[in-house]
Amino acid sequence: MGRRSPRELRIRRHNRLRKRVNGSQERPRLNIFRSNIHIYAQVIDDTLGHTLAAASTNEKAWPASETKMTKTEQAALVGKLVAERALEAGITKVVFDRGGFKYHGRIKALAEAAREAGLNF
């Protein structure tokens, strides 16, 4: 019985979370993935398996001036962007899927910015 890697533990937490969290057409899932450098957010309809809106720090249109921000500030900007794009697509209510990450730091900043921009969860 070897030790489990942090990635493996996160995936186990995410699988446990996904038993309860499922996106529908009325209420799609706001999925978050955080890497060491970037953060990604997608609004997903699980019934069709389609991404309805997305934003990340890895976009080509990401302004060069934004790279001087802290990772937490960048996450908040991604949260605002994904919320704006979801609202344009007619989505106001989502289910939050933190992806097995703890709800603090960049994940929390993204979630709060998305709420402030108009998403309900």
Side-chain angles (χ1 to χ4, degrees), residues 3-43:
R3 287 192 44 178
R4 300 198 192 283
S5 70
R7 181 178 187 277
E8 196 175 3
L9 292 171
R10 181 191 68 79
I11 290 170
R12 284 172 150 244
R13 284 192 304 270
H14 191 207
N15 289 337
R16 205 163 46 233
L17 194 104
R18 289 282 286 123
K19 288 177 191 173
R20 292 174 197 82
V21 175
N22 203 350
S24 63
Q25 285 183 324
E26 304 83 48
R27 197 164 175 164
R29 175 170 57 99
L30 174 60
N31 182 43
I32 309 299
F33 177 74
R34 172 181 62 86
S35 72
N36 285 341
I37 301 167
H38 297 290
I39 191 157
Y40 307 83
Q42 293 181 311
V43 178

Side-chain angles (χ1 to χ4, degrees), residues 24-98:
S24 63
Q25 285 183 324
E26 304 83 48
R27 197 164 175 164
R29 175 170 57 99
L30 174 60
N31 182 43
I32 309 299
F33 177 74
R34 172 181 62 86
S35 72
N36 285 341
I37 301 167
H38 297 290
I39 191 157
Y40 307 83
Q42 293 181 311
V43 178
I44 303 168
D45 177 2
D46 287 319
T47 54
L48 299 172
H50 289 292
T51 299
L52 307 171
S56 77
T57 55
N58 203 11
E59 293 176 359
K60 286 185 180 179
W62 191 255
S65 62
E66 307 301 342
T67 57
K68 296 190 177 22
M69 300 169 81
T70 65
K71 290 179 188 177
T72 307
E73 291 168 340
Q74 288 180 4
L77 193 61
V78 168
K80 184 180 170 195
L81 271 173
V82 77
E84 288 170 359
R85 292 174 184 174
L87 292 171
E88 284 174 16
I91 300 159
T92 55
K93 288 187 173 184
V94 295
V95 179
F96 189 66
D97 174 11
R98 59 189 171 83

